Amino acid sequence: QVQLVESGGGSVQAGDSLRLSCAASGRTFSGYTMGWFRQAPGKDREFVSSIRWSDGSTSYADSVKGRFTISRDNAKSTVYLQLNSLKSEDTAVYYCAARHTFVSKYLYWGQGTQVTVSS
């Protein structure tokens, strides 16, 4: 059974940093792409960033480019999202997700971790 477990959320001030973690288990993810999404109150869920497990290639939403960094640790089967220079508009529940690299739909989702940024 595939499990994605996020951690690392919290309440911070604008300008602060956080590091989110997503521990993946239940299968081999070498052929998968891992993504981070977020959903703010009253808004649709939006893509934040992704990383291809096999070669580490990354993608970012324009709103977070230059501030957020996605990375992976193969040995720990963990994906990270480093959030720097946080803004109040980054406040949301952040979700980790996984899809097969050659399929567009994310199949597996974590339970989410709350990030709250106060100005």
Side-chain angles (χ1 to χ4, degrees):
Q1 182 180 357
V2 173
Q3 276 197 312
L4 303 177
V5 180
E6 303 99 330
S7 61
S11 296
V12 297
Q13 298 289 319
D16 285 351
S17 298
L18 281 174
R19 188 177 80 158
L20 308 183
S21 299
C22 172
S25 62
R27 68 163 299 127
T28 301
F29 288 91
S30 57
Y32 278 68
T33 292
M34 307 297 292
W36 284 97
F37 291 76
R38 67 186 181 185
Q39 187 167 21
K43 294 188 177 181
D44 292 334
R45 184 171 60 196
E46 64 175 357
F47 170 79
V48 175
S49 182
S50 66
I51 186 167
R52 193 157 55 192
W53 206 282
S54 59
D55 62 6
S57 61
T58 60
S59 179
Y60 295 93
D62 288 343
S63 58
V64 307
K65 277 181 184 176
R67 299 189 299 122
F68 293 6
T69 303
I70 192 170
S71 62
R72 79 213 191 288
D73 184 327
N74 289 341
K76 296 182 178 180
S77 294
T78 299
V79 176
Y80 303 99
L81 187 68
Q82 178 68 40
L83 289 62
N84 295 332
S85 302
L86 281 161
K87 306 174 181 179
S88 57
E89 52 262 45
D90 295 319
T91 295
V93 177
Y94 284 71
Y95 297 92
C96 176
R99 62 174 175 87
H100 193 281
T101 293
F102 300 108
V103 175
S104 60
K105 181 178 180 179
Y106 282 85
L107 185 60
Y108 304 109
W109 292 85
Q111 82 288 349
T113 185
Q114 176 72 47
V115 173
T116 303
V117 185
S118 55
S119 55

PDB file of all heavy atoms in Angstrom, residues 76-109:
ATOM      1  N   LYS A  76      16.333   7.735   1.602  1.00  0.00           N
ATOM      2  CA  LYS A  76      15.254   7.860   2.586  1.00  0.00           C
ATOM      3  C   LYS A  76      13.873   7.836   1.944  1.00  0.00           C
ATOM      4  O   LYS A  76      12.868   7.947   2.658  1.00  0.00           O
ATOM      5  CB  LYS A  76      15.422   9.160   3.378  1.00  0.00           C
ATOM      6  CG  LYS A  76      16.682   9.210   4.224  1.00  0.00           C
ATOM      7  CD  LYS A  76      16.749  10.508   5.022  1.00  0.00           C
ATOM      8  CE  LYS A  76      17.987  10.543   5.902  1.00  0.00           C
ATOM      9  NZ  LYS A  76      18.076  11.814   6.692  1.00  0.00           N
ATOM     10  N   SER A  77      13.826   7.743   0.627  1.00  0.00           N
ATOM     11  CA  SER A  77      12.541   7.791  -0.096  1.00  0.00           C
ATOM     12  C   SER A  77      11.716   8.988   0.364  1.00  0.00           C
ATOM     13  O   SER A  77      10.518   8.878   0.645  1.00  0.00           O
ATOM     14  CB  SER A  77      11.749   6.492   0.121  1.00  0.00           C
ATOM     15  OG  SER A  77      12.410   5.402  -0.475  1.00  0.00           O
ATOM     16  N   THR A  78      12.374  10.108   0.441  1.00  0.00           N
ATOM     17  CA  THR A  78      11.750  11.329   0.961  1.00  0.00           C
ATOM     18  C   THR A  78      11.972  12.484  -0.018  1.00  0.00           C
ATOM     19  O   THR A  78      13.065  12.632  -0.560  1.00  0.00           O
ATOM     20  CB  THR A  78      12.307  11.684   2.334  1.00  0.00           C
ATOM     21  OG1 THR A  78      12.020  10.618   3.242  1.00  0.00           O
ATOM     22  CG2 THR A  78      11.684  12.975   2.864  1.00  0.00           C
ATOM     23  N   VAL A  79      10.930  13.250  -0.210  1.00  0.00           N
ATOM     24  CA  VAL A  79      10.983  14.452  -1.033  1.00  0.00           C
ATOM     25  C   VAL A  79      10.815  15.658  -0.114  1.00  0.00           C
ATOM     26  O   VAL A  79      10.001  15.618   0.818  1.00  0.00           O
ATOM     27  CB  VAL A  79       9.884  14.438  -2.109  1.00  0.00           C
ATOM     28  CG1 VAL A  79       9.870  15.728  -2.897  1.00  0.00           C
ATOM     29  CG2 VAL A  79      10.094  13.264  -3.046  1.00  0.00           C
ATOM     30  N   TYR A  80      11.567  16.690  -0.385  1.00  0.00           N
ATOM     31  CA  TYR A  80      11.537  17.889   0.441  1.00  0.00           C
ATOM     32  C   TYR A  80      11.080  19.084  -0.383  1.00  0.00           C
ATOM     33  O   TYR A  80      11.301  19.151  -1.595  1.00  0.00           O
ATOM     34  CB  TYR A  80      12.925  18.180   1.010  1.00  0.00           C
ATOM     35  CG  TYR A  80      13.501  17.052   1.814  1.00  0.00           C
ATOM     36  CD1 TYR A  80      14.422  16.169   1.243  1.00  0.00           C
ATOM     37  CD2 TYR A  80      13.132  16.852   3.141  1.00  0.00           C
ATOM     38  CE1 TYR A  80      14.958  15.121   1.976  1.00  0.00           C
ATOM     39  CE2 TYR A  80      13.655  15.802   3.877  1.00  0.00           C
ATOM     40  CZ  TYR A  80      14.566  14.943   3.296  1.00  0.00           C
ATOM     41  OH  TYR A  80      15.084  13.909   4.024  1.00  0.00           O
ATOM     42  N   LEU A  81      10.485  20.034   0.297  1.00  0.00           N
ATOM     43  CA  LEU A  81      10.180  21.319  -0.303  1.00  0.00           C
ATOM     44  C   LEU A  81      10.656  22.391   0.667  1.00  0.00           C
ATOM     45  O   LEU A  81      10.102  22.539   1.753  1.00  0.00           O
ATOM     46  CB  LEU A  81       8.685  21.475  -0.589  1.00  0.00           C
ATOM     47  CG  LEU A  81       8.316  22.733  -1.366  1.00  0.00           C
ATOM     48  CD1 LEU A  81       8.868  22.655  -2.797  1.00  0.00           C
ATOM     49  CD2 LEU A  81       6.796  22.929  -1.401  1.00  0.00           C
ATOM     50  N   GLN A  82      11.716  23.077   0.269  1.00  0.00           N
ATOM     51  CA  GLN A  82      12.250  24.175   1.074  1.00  0.00           C
ATOM     52  C   GLN A  82      11.510  25.452   0.690  1.00  0.00           C
ATOM     53  O   GLN A  82      11.511  25.846  -0.484  1.00  0.00           O
ATOM     54  CB  GLN A  82      13.750  24.333   0.811  1.00  0.00           C
ATOM     55  CG  GLN A  82      14.401  25.467   1.564  1.00  0.00           C
ATOM     56  CD  GLN A  82      14.467  25.231   3.060  1.00  0.00           C
ATOM     57  OE1 GLN A  82      14.728  24.120   3.510  1.00  0.00           O
ATOM     58  NE2 GLN A  82      14.223  26.292   3.833  1.00  0.00           N
ATOM     59  N   LEU A  83      10.888  26.068   1.674  1.00  0.00           N
ATOM     60  CA  LEU A  83      10.110  27.287   1.450  1.00  0.00           C
ATOM     61  C   LEU A  83      10.860  28.461   2.087  1.00  0.00           C
ATOM     62  O   LEU A  83      10.993  28.530   3.307  1.00  0.00           O
ATOM     63  CB  LEU A  83       8.728  27.173   2.087  1.00  0.00           C
ATOM     64  CG  LEU A  83       7.672  26.243   1.488  1.00  0.00           C
ATOM     65  CD1 LEU A  83       8.103  24.794   1.510  1.00  0.00           C
ATOM     66  CD2 LEU A  83       6.352  26.399   2.215  1.00  0.00           C
ATOM     67  N   ASN A  84      11.356  29.358   1.265  1.00  0.00           N
ATOM     68  CA  ASN A  84      12.063  30.541   1.748  1.00  0.00           C
ATOM     69  C   ASN A  84      11.280  31.807   1.418  1.00  0.00           C
ATOM     70  O   ASN A  84      10.411  31.803   0.541  1.00  0.00           O
ATOM     71  CB  ASN A  84      13.454  30.625   1.125  1.00  0.00           C
ATOM     72  CG  ASN A  84      14.368  29.488   1.547  1.00  0.00           C
ATOM     73  OD1 ASN A  84      14.227  28.927   2.632  1.00  0.00           O
ATOM     74  ND2 ASN A  84      15.321  29.149   0.691  1.00  0.00           N
ATOM     75  N   SER A  85      11.600  32.864   2.113  1.00  0.00           N
ATOM     76  CA  SER A  85      10.967  34.170   1.868  1.00  0.00           C
ATOM     77  C   SER A  85       9.449  34.043   1.806  1.00  0.00           C
ATOM     78  O   SER A  85       8.804  34.534   0.874  1.00  0.00           O
ATOM     79  CB  SER A  85      11.499  34.774   0.561  1.00  0.00           C
ATOM     80  OG  SER A  85      12.902  34.909   0.600  1.00  0.00           O
ATOM     81  N   LEU A  86       8.904  33.391   2.804  1.00  0.00           N
ATOM     82  CA  LEU A  86       7.473  33.109   2.796  1.00  0.00           C
ATOM     83  C   LEU A  86       6.646  34.381   2.851  1.00  0.00           C
ATOM     84  O   LEU A  86       7.027  35.371   3.498  1.00  0.00           O
ATOM     85  CB  LEU A  86       7.118  32.183   3.954  1.00  0.00           C
ATOM     86  CG  LEU A  86       7.457  30.711   3.705  1.00  0.00           C
ATOM     87  CD1 LEU A  86       7.514  29.941   5.012  1.00  0.00           C
ATOM     88  CD2 LEU A  86       6.457  30.098   2.752  1.00  0.00           C
ATOM     89  N   LYS A  87       5.518  34.335   2.155  1.00  0.00           N
ATOM     90  CA  LYS A  87       4.583  35.442   2.093  1.00  0.00           C
ATOM     91  C   LYS A  87       3.236  34.976   2.641  1.00  0.00           C
ATOM     92  O   LYS A  87       2.956  33.769   2.674  1.00  0.00           O
ATOM     93  CB  LYS A  87       4.408  35.909   0.644  1.00  0.00           C
ATOM     94  CG  LYS A  87       5.692  36.244  -0.079  1.00  0.00           C
ATOM     95  CD  LYS A  87       5.422  36.562  -1.540  1.00  0.00           C
ATOM     96  CE  LYS A  87       6.697  36.867  -2.295  1.00  0.00           C
ATOM     97  NZ  LYS A  87       6.430  37.158  -3.732  1.00  0.00           N
ATOM     98  N   SER A  88       2.399  35.930   3.017  1.00  0.00           N
ATOM     99  CA  SER A  88       1.086  35.564   3.553  1.00  0.00           C
ATOM    100  C   SER A  88       0.283  34.761   2.528  1.00  0.00           C
ATOM    101  O   SER A  88      -0.494  33.879   2.902  1.00  0.00           O
ATOM    102  CB  SER A  88       0.324  36.807   3.982  1.00  0.00           C
ATOM    103  OG  SER A  88       0.190  37.703   2.903  1.00  0.00           O
ATOM    104  N   GLU A  89       0.483  35.051   1.258  1.00  0.00           N
ATOM    105  CA  GLU A  89      -0.257  34.326   0.220  1.00  0.00           C
ATOM    106  C   GLU A  89       0.221  32.886   0.028  1.00  0.00           C
ATOM    107  O   GLU A  89      -0.378  32.132  -0.748  1.00  0.00           O
ATOM    108  CB  GLU A  89      -0.199  35.068  -1.124  1.00  0.00           C
ATOM    109  CG  GLU A  89       1.196  35.441  -1.579  1.00  0.00           C
ATOM    110  CD  GLU A  89       1.523  36.888  -1.243  1.00  0.00           C
ATOM    111  OE1 GLU A  89       1.233  37.311  -0.106  1.00  0.00           O
ATOM    112  OE2 GLU A  89       2.117  37.564  -2.115  1.00  0.00           O
ATOM    113  N   ASP A  90       1.278  32.498   0.713  1.00  0.00           N
ATOM    114  CA  ASP A  90       1.707  31.095   0.693  1.00  0.00           C
ATOM    115  C   ASP A  90       0.929  30.251   1.704  1.00  0.00           C
ATOM    116  O   ASP A  90       1.093  29.027   1.743  1.00  0.00           O
ATOM    117  CB  ASP A  90       3.200  30.983   1.000  1.00  0.00           C
ATOM    118  CG  ASP A  90       4.082  31.614  -0.060  1.00  0.00           C
ATOM    119  OD1 ASP A  90       3.776  31.439  -1.257  1.00  0.00           O
ATOM    120  OD2 ASP A  90       5.056  32.292   0.309  1.00  0.00           O
ATOM    121  N   THR A  91       0.120  30.891   2.520  1.00  0.00           N
ATOM    122  CA  THR A  91      -0.687  30.173   3.501  1.00  0.00           C
ATOM    123  C   THR A  91      -1.630  29.196   2.797  1.00  0.00           C
ATOM    124  O   THR A  91      -2.400  29.579   1.921  1.00  0.00           O
ATOM    125  CB  THR A  91      -1.507  31.148   4.356  1.00  0.00           C
ATOM    126  OG1 THR A  91      -0.610  31.947   5.132  1.00  0.00           O
ATOM    127  CG2 THR A  91      -2.457  30.407   5.282  1.00  0.00           C
ATOM    128  N   ALA A  92      -1.526  27.923   3.176  1.00  0.00           N
ATOM    129  CA  ALA A  92      -2.320  26.880   2.528  1.00  0.00           C
ATOM    130  C   ALA A  92      -2.020  25.539   3.189  1.00  0.00           C
ATOM    131  O   ALA A  92      -1.077  25.427   3.979  1.00  0.00           O
ATOM    132  CB  ALA A  92      -1.980  26.790   1.042  1.00  0.00           C
ATOM    133  N   VAL A  93      -2.817  24.559   2.833  1.00  0.00           N
ATOM    134  CA  VAL A  93      -2.470  23.178   3.145  1.00  0.00           C
ATOM    135  C   VAL A  93      -1.642  22.659   1.976  1.00  0.00           C
ATOM    136  O   VAL A  93      -2.056  22.777   0.817  1.00  0.00           O
ATOM    137  CB  VAL A  93      -3.717  22.303   3.352  1.00  0.00           C
ATOM    138  CG1 VAL A  93      -3.304  20.851   3.607  1.00  0.00           C
ATOM    139  CG2 VAL A  93      -4.559  22.836   4.497  1.00  0.00           C
ATOM    140  N   TYR A  94      -0.487  22.114   2.293  1.00  0.00           N
ATOM    141  CA  TYR A  94       0.422  21.620   1.266  1.00  0.00           C
ATOM    142  C   TYR A  94       0.331  20.095   1.205  1.00  0.00           C
ATOM    143  O   TYR A  94       0.418  19.421   2.236  1.00  0.00           O
ATOM    144  CB  TYR A  94       1.855  22.052   1.574  1.00  0.00           C
ATOM    145  CG  TYR A  94       2.099  23.501   1.245  1.00  0.00           C
ATOM    146  CD1 TYR A  94       1.532  24.516   2.006  1.00  0.00           C
ATOM    147  CD2 TYR A  94       2.881  23.864   0.141  1.00  0.00           C
ATOM    148  CE1 TYR A  94       1.726  25.845   1.693  1.00  0.00           C
ATOM    149  CE2 TYR A  94       3.091  25.198  -0.171  1.00  0.00           C
ATOM    150  CZ  TYR A  94       2.512  26.184   0.606  1.00  0.00           C
ATOM    151  OH  TYR A  94       2.713  27.503   0.280  1.00  0.00           O
ATOM    152  N   TYR A  95       0.167  19.597  -0.013  1.00  0.00           N
ATOM    153  CA  TYR A  95       0.005  18.170  -0.235  1.00  0.00           C
ATOM    154  C   TYR A  95       1.138  17.625  -1.096  1.00  0.00           C
ATOM    155  O   TYR A  95       1.554  18.254  -2.069  1.00  0.00           O
ATOM    156  CB  TYR A  95      -1.310  17.883  -0.961  1.00  0.00           C
ATOM    157  CG  TYR A  95      -2.549  18.274  -0.208  1.00  0.00           C
ATOM    158  CD1 TYR A  95      -3.124  19.529  -0.365  1.00  0.00           C
ATOM    159  CD2 TYR A  95      -3.153  17.379   0.665  1.00  0.00           C
ATOM    160  CE1 TYR A  95      -4.262  19.889   0.336  1.00  0.00           C
ATOM    161  CE2 TYR A  95      -4.305  17.728   1.371  1.00  0.00           C
ATOM    162  CZ  TYR A  95      -4.847  18.984   1.195  1.00  0.00           C
ATOM    163  OH  TYR A  95      -5.979  19.322   1.882  1.00  0.00           O
ATOM    164  N   CYS A  96       1.573  16.451  -0.736  1.00  0.00           N
ATOM    165  CA  CYS A  96       2.522  15.698  -1.541  1.00  0.00           C
ATOM    166  C   CYS A  96       1.731  14.704  -2.394  1.00  0.00           C
ATOM    167  O   CYS A  96       0.708  14.158  -1.943  1.00  0.00           O
ATOM    168  CB  CYS A  96       3.470  14.944  -0.607  1.00  0.00           C
ATOM    169  SG  CYS A  96       4.658  13.872  -1.419  1.00  0.00           S
ATOM    170  N   ALA A  97       2.201  14.483  -3.615  1.00  0.00           N
ATOM    171  CA  ALA A  97       1.500  13.568  -4.513  1.00  0.00           C
ATOM    172  C   ALA A  97       2.499  12.847  -5.408  1.00  0.00           C
ATOM    173  O   ALA A  97       3.625  13.313  -5.586  1.00  0.00           O
ATOM    174  CB  ALA A  97       0.490  14.333  -5.364  1.00  0.00           C
ATOM    175  N   ALA A  98       2.064  11.725  -5.979  1.00  0.00           N
ATOM    176  CA  ALA A  98       2.938  10.940  -6.848  1.00  0.00           C
ATOM    177  C   ALA A  98       2.177  10.481  -8.080  1.00  0.00           C
ATOM    178  O   ALA A  98       0.993  10.145  -8.007  1.00  0.00           O
ATOM    179  CB  ALA A  98       3.477   9.726  -6.093  1.00  0.00           C
ATOM    180  N   ARG A  99       2.863  10.500  -9.212  1.00  0.00           N
ATOM    181  CA  ARG A  99       2.292   9.973 -10.452  1.00  0.00           C
ATOM    182  C   ARG A  99       3.391   9.255 -11.214  1.00  0.00           C
ATOM    183  O   ARG A  99       4.583   9.569 -11.064  1.00  0.00           O
ATOM    184  CB  ARG A  99       1.731  11.099 -11.329  1.00  0.00           C
ATOM    185  CG  ARG A  99       2.759  12.111 -11.801  1.00  0.00           C
ATOM    186  CD  ARG A  99       2.138  13.095 -12.770  1.00  0.00           C
ATOM    187  NE  ARG A  99       3.059  14.166 -13.158  1.00  0.00           N
ATOM    188  CZ  ARG A  99       3.915  14.088 -14.151  1.00  0.00           C
ATOM    189  NH1 ARG A  99       4.011  12.979 -14.872  1.00  0.00           N
ATOM    190  NH2 ARG A  99       4.695  15.124 -14.445  1.00  0.00           N
ATOM    191  N   HIS A 100       2.989   8.322 -12.040  1.00  0.00           N
ATOM    192  CA  HIS A 100       3.967   7.728 -12.930  1.00  0.00           C
ATOM    193  C   HIS A 100       4.430   8.828 -13.871  1.00  0.00           C
ATOM    194  O   HIS A 100       3.625   9.636 -14.353  1.00  0.00           O
ATOM    195  CB  HIS A 100       3.352   6.573 -13.717  1.00  0.00           C
ATOM    196  CG  HIS A 100       4.381   5.742 -14.400  1.00  0.00           C
ATOM    197  ND1 HIS A 100       4.986   6.126 -15.583  1.00  0.00           N
ATOM    198  CD2 HIS A 100       4.947   4.555 -14.071  1.00  0.00           C
ATOM    199  CE1 HIS A 100       5.873   5.211 -15.943  1.00  0.00           C
ATOM    200  NE2 HIS A 100       5.862   4.251 -15.051  1.00  0.00           N
ATOM    201  N   THR A 101       5.701   8.871 -14.147  1.00  0.00           N
ATOM    202  CA  THR A 101       6.278   9.967 -14.937  1.00  0.00           C
ATOM    203  C   THR A 101       5.602  10.141 -16.289  1.00  0.00           C
ATOM    204  O   THR A 101       5.485  11.265 -16.781  1.00  0.00           O
ATOM    205  CB  THR A 101       7.788   9.740 -15.111  1.00  0.00           C
ATOM    206  OG1 THR A 101       8.412   9.873 -13.828  1.00  0.00           O
ATOM    207  CG2 THR A 101       8.395  10.754 -16.063  1.00  0.00           C
ATOM    208  N   PHE A 102       5.118   9.068 -16.905  1.00  0.00           N
ATOM    209  CA  PHE A 102       4.536   9.165 -18.247  1.00  0.00           C
ATOM    210  C   PHE A 102       3.016   9.263 -18.222  1.00  0.00           C
ATOM    211  O   PHE A 102       2.355   9.145 -19.261  1.00  0.00           O
ATOM    212  CB  PHE A 102       5.003   8.001 -19.106  1.00  0.00           C
ATOM    213  CG  PHE A 102       6.498   7.963 -19.251  1.00  0.00           C
ATOM    214  CD1 PHE A 102       7.251   6.990 -18.616  1.00  0.00           C
ATOM    215  CD2 PHE A 102       7.150   8.938 -19.988  1.00  0.00           C
ATOM    216  CE1 PHE A 102       8.625   6.972 -18.731  1.00  0.00           C
ATOM    217  CE2 PHE A 102       8.525   8.927 -20.107  1.00  0.00           C
ATOM    218  CZ  PHE A 102       9.268   7.937 -19.471  1.00  0.00           C
ATOM    219  N   VAL A 103       2.469   9.493 -17.039  1.00  0.00           N
ATOM    220  CA  VAL A 103       1.028   9.679 -16.889  1.00  0.00           C
ATOM    221  C   VAL A 103       0.801  11.036 -16.242  1.00  0.00           C
ATOM    222  O   VAL A 103       1.509  11.413 -15.319  1.00  0.00           O
ATOM    223  CB  VAL A 103       0.421   8.560 -16.013  1.00  0.00           C
ATOM    224  CG1 VAL A 103      -1.059   8.837 -15.757  1.00  0.00           C
ATOM    225  CG2 VAL A 103       0.622   7.213 -16.672  1.00  0.00           C
ATOM    226  N   SER A 104      -0.172  11.785 -16.706  1.00  0.00           N
ATOM    227  CA  SER A 104      -0.348  13.157 -16.217  1.00  0.00           C
ATOM    228  C   SER A 104      -1.072  13.226 -14.878  1.00  0.00           C
ATOM    229  O   SER A 104      -0.893  14.178 -14.124  1.00  0.00           O
ATOM    230  CB  SER A 104      -1.110  13.990 -17.244  1.00  0.00           C
ATOM    231  OG  SER A 104      -2.380  13.424 -17.485  1.00  0.00           O
ATOM    232  N   LYS A 105      -1.876  12.231 -14.572  1.00  0.00           N
ATOM    233  CA  LYS A 105      -2.686  12.296 -13.363  1.00  0.00           C
ATOM    234  C   LYS A 105      -1.902  11.789 -12.159  1.00  0.00           C
ATOM    235  O   LYS A 105      -1.294  10.726 -12.185  1.00  0.00           O
ATOM    236  CB  LYS A 105      -3.956  11.464 -13.528  1.00  0.00           C
ATOM    237  CG  LYS A 105      -4.886  11.495 -12.320  1.00  0.00           C
ATOM    238  CD  LYS A 105      -6.145  10.677 -12.583  1.00  0.00           C
ATOM    239  CE  LYS A 105      -7.075  10.696 -11.392  1.00  0.00           C
ATOM    240  NZ  LYS A 105      -8.307   9.915 -11.655  1.00  0.00           N
ATOM    241  N   TYR A 106      -1.982  12.582 -11.074  1.00  0.00           N
ATOM    242  CA  TYR A 106      -1.380  12.166  -9.814  1.00  0.00           C
ATOM    243  C   TYR A 106      -2.297  11.148  -9.147  1.00  0.00           C
ATOM    244  O   TYR A 106      -3.474  11.413  -8.929  1.00  0.00           O
ATOM    245  CB  TYR A 106      -1.149  13.367  -8.905  1.00  0.00           C
ATOM    246  CG  TYR A 106       0.078  14.160  -9.297  1.00  0.00           C
ATOM    247  CD1 TYR A 106       0.006  15.139 -10.290  1.00  0.00           C
ATOM    248  CD2 TYR A 106       1.311  13.917  -8.693  1.00  0.00           C
ATOM    249  CE1 TYR A 106       1.141  15.849 -10.668  1.00  0.00           C
ATOM    250  CE2 TYR A 106       2.446  14.628  -9.061  1.00  0.00           C
ATOM    251  CZ  TYR A 106       2.354  15.585 -10.053  1.00  0.00           C
ATOM    252  OH  TYR A 106       3.479  16.281 -10.426  1.00  0.00           O
ATOM    253  N   LEU A 107      -1.707   9.988  -8.848  1.00  0.00           N
ATOM    254  CA  LEU A 107      -2.513   8.877  -8.348  1.00  0.00           C
ATOM    255  C   LEU A 107      -2.533   8.795  -6.828  1.00  0.00           C
ATOM    256  O   LEU A 107      -3.542   8.387  -6.239  1.00  0.00           O
ATOM    257  CB  LEU A 107      -1.970   7.566  -8.936  1.00  0.00           C
ATOM    258  CG  LEU A 107      -2.731   6.287  -8.634  1.00  0.00           C
ATOM    259  CD1 LEU A 107      -4.155   6.384  -9.159  1.00  0.00           C
ATOM    260  CD2 LEU A 107      -2.009   5.102  -9.257  1.00  0.00           C
ATOM    261  N   TYR A 108      -1.433   9.139  -6.218  1.00  0.00           N
ATOM    262  CA  TYR A 108      -1.309   8.988  -4.773  1.00  0.00           C
ATOM    263  C   TYR A 108      -1.158  10.363  -4.125  1.00  0.00           C
ATOM    264  O   TYR A 108      -0.439  11.232  -4.649  1.00  0.00           O
ATOM    265  CB  TYR A 108      -0.090   8.120  -4.429  1.00  0.00           C
ATOM    266  CG  TYR A 108      -0.102   6.769  -5.081  1.00  0.00           C
ATOM    267  CD1 TYR A 108       0.789   6.467  -6.110  1.00  0.00           C
ATOM    268  CD2 TYR A 108      -1.007   5.791  -4.683  1.00  0.00           C
ATOM    269  CE1 TYR A 108       0.783   5.225  -6.717  1.00  0.00           C
ATOM    270  CE2 TYR A 108      -1.023   4.546  -5.297  1.00  0.00           C
ATOM    271  CZ  TYR A 108      -0.126   4.269  -6.306  1.00  0.00           C
ATOM    272  OH  TYR A 108      -0.142   3.036  -6.909  1.00  0.00           O
ATOM    273  N   TRP A 109      -1.822  10.522  -2.979  1.00  0.00           N
ATOM    274  CA  TRP A 109      -1.819  11.809  -2.274  1.00  0.00           C
ATOM    275  C   TRP A 109      -1.584  11.597  -0.790  1.00  0.00           C
ATOM    276  O   TRP A 109      -2.050  10.605  -0.209  1.00  0.00           O
ATOM    277  CB  TRP A 109      -3.157  12.527  -2.465  1.00  0.00           C
ATOM    278  CG  TRP A 109      -3.382  12.971  -3.864  1.00  0.00           C
ATOM    279  CD1 TRP A 109      -3.901  12.238  -4.905  1.00  0.00           C
ATOM    280  CD2 TRP A 109      -3.082  14.261  -4.398  1.00  0.00           C
ATOM    281  NE1 TRP A 109      -3.929  12.994  -6.045  1.00  0.00           N
ATOM    282  CE2 TRP A 109      -3.442  14.246  -5.767  1.00  0.00           C
ATOM    283  CE3 TRP A 109      -2.548  15.430  -3.874  1.00  0.00           C
ATOM    284  CZ2 TRP A 109      -3.282  15.349  -6.602  1.00  0.00           C
ATOM    285  CZ3 TRP A 109      -2.392  16.524  -4.697  1.00  0.00           C
ATOM    286  CH2 TRP A 109      -2.752  16.486  -6.046  1.00  0.00           C
TER     287      TRP A 109
END
